């Protein structure tokens, strides 16, 4: 029996040494598997973050496009304007009878042009005037400024605007009869535009008279 015990102990030691590499291999495989799963989770997280970032970038762009399509100018390609007439009545001038579109044209100072460069400059002023639909109840106003555009397809874009008052942030107006608002500085920029174009204003009996030819 004394001889058998060392043999039995040796056998156990031999088995332990025999199984140890296998255990190490199993541990190694488990660690590798865990690392792969961690890497997979990180990749999925990265893809999720990238997708979220793309959505955040797309939504404002889509909103901006939608917002642009709903502006009053969206249905009118004013960049194709072939002829433009601007009529301005001095804010200091008073009348016994309230002005309307027709009397504005005959009472105001008129400037008409077909020059592409002058028209492009006028169109740019309108695009920067923040033309918006007036969703509030629009009260009747006396037109003091008019812009009348003839587009390439023969259609018209007729703007009428009220008199600008001090401390006013926007002007009421109409575009082809529909209520709009614009920045209150538009009449001033129109005055500057006519001066830059070299327009010599004279009281006009119609929008076809007292014009500067191209």
């Amino acid at each position: 029996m004394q001889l058998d015990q060392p043999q039995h102990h040796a056998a156990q030691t031999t088995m332990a040494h025999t199984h140890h590499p296998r255990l190490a291999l199993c541990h190694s495989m488990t660690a590798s598997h865990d690392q792969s799963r961690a890497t997979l989770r990180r990749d999925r997280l990265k893809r999720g973050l990238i997708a979220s970032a793309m959505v955040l970038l797309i939504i404002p762009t889509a909103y901006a496009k939608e917002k642009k399509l709903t502006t009053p100018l969206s249905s009118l390609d004013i960049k194709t304007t072939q002829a433009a007439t601007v009529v301005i009545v001095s804010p200091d001038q008073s009348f016994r009878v309230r002005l309307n579109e027709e009397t504005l044209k005959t009472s105001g100072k008129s400037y008409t042009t077909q020059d592409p460069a002058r028209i492009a400059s006028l169109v740019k002023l309108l695009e920067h005037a923040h033309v918006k639909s007036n969703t509030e109840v629009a009260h009747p106003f006396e037109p003091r400024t008019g812009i009348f555009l003839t587009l390439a397809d023969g259609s018209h874009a007729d703007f009428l605007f009220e008199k600008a008052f001090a401390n006013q942030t926007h002007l009421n107006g109409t575009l082809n009869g529909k209520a709009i608002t614009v920045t209150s500085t538009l009449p001033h920029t129109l005055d500057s535009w006519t001066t830059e174009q070299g327009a010599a204003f004279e009281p006009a009996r119609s929008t076809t008279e007292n014009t500067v030819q191209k």
Side-chain angles (χ1 to χ4, degrees):
M1 293 298 293
Q2 293 178 352
L3 293 174
D4 292 338
Q5 289 178 357
Q7 292 178 357
H8 179 68
H9 179 71
Q12 289 181 342
T13 303
T14 302
M15 291 178 65
H17 284 293
T18 302
H19 289 288
H20 181 71
R22 293 181 182 178
L23 290 173
L25 178 60
C26 289
H27 287 305
S28 177
M29 292 178 65
T30 301
S32 178
H33 180 66
D34 291 342
Q35 185 177 4
S36 298
R37 293 178 61 182
T39 301
L40 182 61
R41 285 195 297 269
R42 285 196 298 270
D43 290 342
R44 288 178 179 174
L45 180 59
K46 287 181 180 179
R47 288 195 294 269
L49 291 174
I50 292 172
S52 299
M54 292 180 66
V55 170
L56 292 175
L57 289 174
I58 291 172
I59 289 176
T61 303
Y63 173 77
K65 288 182 179 179
E66 181 181 356
K67 186 176 181 181
K68 183 178 180 180
L69 291 174
T70 59
T71 61
L73 296 180
S74 61
S75 60
L76 297 170
D77 190 1
I78 61 174
K79 290 184 178 180
T80 68
T81 298
Q82 303 298 299
T85 296
V86 174
V87 182
I88 299 175
V89 171
S90 171
D92 299 326
Q93 191 174 357
S94 60
F95 300 89
R96 290 180 296 176
V97 180
R98 187 185 185 92
L99 293 177
N100 56 34
E101 181 176 344
E102 294 305 317
T103 54
L104 169 72
K105 292 178 179 179
T106 57
S107 302
K109 297 179 180 180
S110 176
Y111 171 67
T112 297
T113 183
Q114 296 181 354
D115 184 280
R118 294 172 179 172
I119 290 174
S121 179
L122 177 61
V123 167
K124 187 175 181 181
L125 290 181
L126 285 171
E127 290 178 336
H128 286 79
H130 302 291
V131 181
K132 299 179 181 178
S133 296
N134 189 356
T135 56
E136 300 178 358
V137 177
H139 299 286
F141 63 88
E142 181 182 46
R144 288 289 180 138
T145 302
I147 303 174
F148 307 96
L149 308 179
T150 301
L151 310 185
D153 60 0
S155 62
H156 294 269
D158 297 337
F159 298 82
L160 295 174
F161 302 108
E162 67 179 347
K163 176 182 177 180
F165 295 92
N167 300 322
Q168 194 171 359
T169 59
H170 67 274
L171 293 180
N172 292 314
T174 59
L175 170 55
N176 291 343
K178 296 183 179 180
I180 61 171
T181 62
V182 295
T183 54
S184 60
T185 57
L186 181 61
H188 175 72
T189 57
L190 285 174
D191 281 335
S192 299
W193 175 78
T194 56
T195 302
E196 291 171 359
Q197 307 309 318
F201 280 136
E202 295 292 341
R205 289 189 297 273
S206 72
T207 55
T208 59
E209 297 181 1
N210 298 317
T211 63
V212 177
Q213 299 298 324
K214 177 179 176 181

